[in-house]
Amino acid sequence: MSIKRHIPNLLTLINLFSGCILVYLTVFYSVFEFKEDFNFNEIVMILLGISLVADLLDGMVARWLNVASPIGLQLDSLADMVTFGVFPGFLMTKMLADASQSTSVMFPLVAFFGLLITLFSALRLAKFNVDTTQTTYFKGLATPANTILIFGLFILTQTLSNDFMDTYAFNSLIALTIISSFILVADIPLFSFKMKSMKLKDIFPQIILLASAILLLIFMGLSALAPIILIYIILSIIFKKTFVHA
């Protein structure tokens, strides 16, 4: 039995393993947050980076080794559901739970509204699996990008003043949960980095996004994650004709 046929699945399982740890750390955040050597943001960034790289490589390696299989496709979606579906939903639930403590709304039941992201992530992954047209671009925000958006929002909430958080955070997070869930399944073309052509005019939006991301990360650090996804969506709308009809 050839070992190479298992390499893509191993990468997918690495993605899943990292996703499971992300969910665990989010659920038990309060247990670790008072430890001096525990930096939630840094650990999440490392684990999320591992998952993103593994998710990117598993399909590429499967095609390169010519070992793509229906099982690999299903396993990939199951792993993505945990890392890019359950984790962002739980993270938003945590943010809503924290924000609702300063309001008169029912706590903690209202925090479960954040799991709307998990439900719509499942719907988005199911739609992607049966849609054969999403080869060079996406319809709706891909779950990895949405996860980066939610994690970016989590970081931004840490930079806002207590007065703002007490007054506006809860309603803002509810609205952002609805927007995030909608854009996951909306029929909005968003470019990917699977380019058929390397001509400048065809990869111009990708170049702008990369340049913007580098500059924002240099000046804003991890606080730039959410703005980067926003720029990605705006660029996709502006340059729609560039990649939809490519």
Side-chain angles (χ1 to χ4, degrees):
M1 183 179 296
S2 176
I3 296 178
K4 71 177 184 179
R5 63 192 291 261
H6 298 293
I7 296 177
N9 290 344
L10 176 61
L11 290 167
T12 305
L13 291 175
I14 290 173
N15 171 17
L16 177 57
F17 181 67
S18 297
C20 290
I21 299 177
L22 286 168
V23 173
Y24 177 84
L25 291 176
T26 305
V27 172
F28 295 101
Y29 179 89
S30 59
V31 176
F32 300 100
E33 65 176 326
F34 298 109
K35 296 182 180 293
E36 293 182 1
D37 58 345
F38 178 76
N39 189 314
F40 181 79
N41 291 353
E42 289 184 2
I43 295 174
V44 168
M45 198 64 221
I46 292 171
L47 291 170
L48 196 55
I50 292 172
S51 289
L52 288 167
V53 172
D55 185 51
L56 175 67
L57 290 179
D58 58 3
M60 293 174 58
V61 171
R63 290 187 292 272
W64 179 54
L65 296 177
N66 195 28
V67 292
S69 67
I71 291 179
L73 177 64
Q74 297 303 318
L75 185 63
D76 183 64
S77 289
L78 292 171
D80 286 353
M81 184 57 216
V82 174
T83 307
F84 308 124
V86 177
F87 165 62
F90 275 36
L91 190 59
M92 179 58 78
T93 296
K94 172 183 165 37
M95 286 190 280
L96 284 170
D98 292 343
S100 65
Q101 294 183 52
S102 60
T103 67
S104 58
V105 298
M106 187 179 296
F107 170 82
L109 293 180
V110 71
F112 294 140
F113 188 79
L115 294 179
L116 197 67
I117 292 172
T118 298
L119 302 182
F120 276 81
S121 294
L123 182 57
R124 193 267 182 280
L125 288 167
K127 288 181 63 177
F128 179 80
N129 284 349
V130 298
D131 190 344
T132 58
T133 64
Q134 298 187 58
T135 54
T136 57
Y137 67 92
F138 300 113
K139 293 179 181 177
L141 190 63
T143 52
N146 189 62
T147 301
I148 295 173
L149 172 64
I150 301 303
F151 179 51
L153 291 173
F154 174 76
I155 293 174
L156 284 176
T157 60
Q158 299 172 349
T159 66
L160 299 173
S161 67
N162 291 332
D163 289 341
F164 178 90
M165 291 297 293
D166 291 342
T167 307
Y168 302 107
F170 180 77
N171 291 333
S172 298
L173 290 172
I174 289 289
L176 289 168
T177 297
I178 295 173
I179 293 171
S180 168
S181 301
F182 168 75
I183 203 169
L184 279 167
V185 297
D187 193 18
I188 302 173
L190 300 171
F191 65 79
S192 74
F193 282 85
K194 298 177 181 177
M195 289 85 73
K196 286 186 175 181
S197 168
M198 294 303 294
K199 295 180 180 179
L200 180 60
K201 67 181 183 65
D202 295 329
I203 61 173
F204 194 57
Q206 287 89 342
I207 292 175
I208 295 177
L209 179 62
L210 283 174
S212 301
I214 292 171
L215 289 174
L216 286 173
L217 287 170
I218 290 174
F219 290 104
M220 297 177 62
L222 294 181
S223 298
L225 292 178
I228 288 172
I229 300 301
L230 179 61
I231 291 173
Y232 166 56
I233 295 171
I234 293 173
L235 287 174
S236 293
I237 295 173
I238 294 174
F239 292 99
K240 175 183 175 181
K241 294 183 179 180
T242 302
F243 57 89
V244 171
H245 301 293

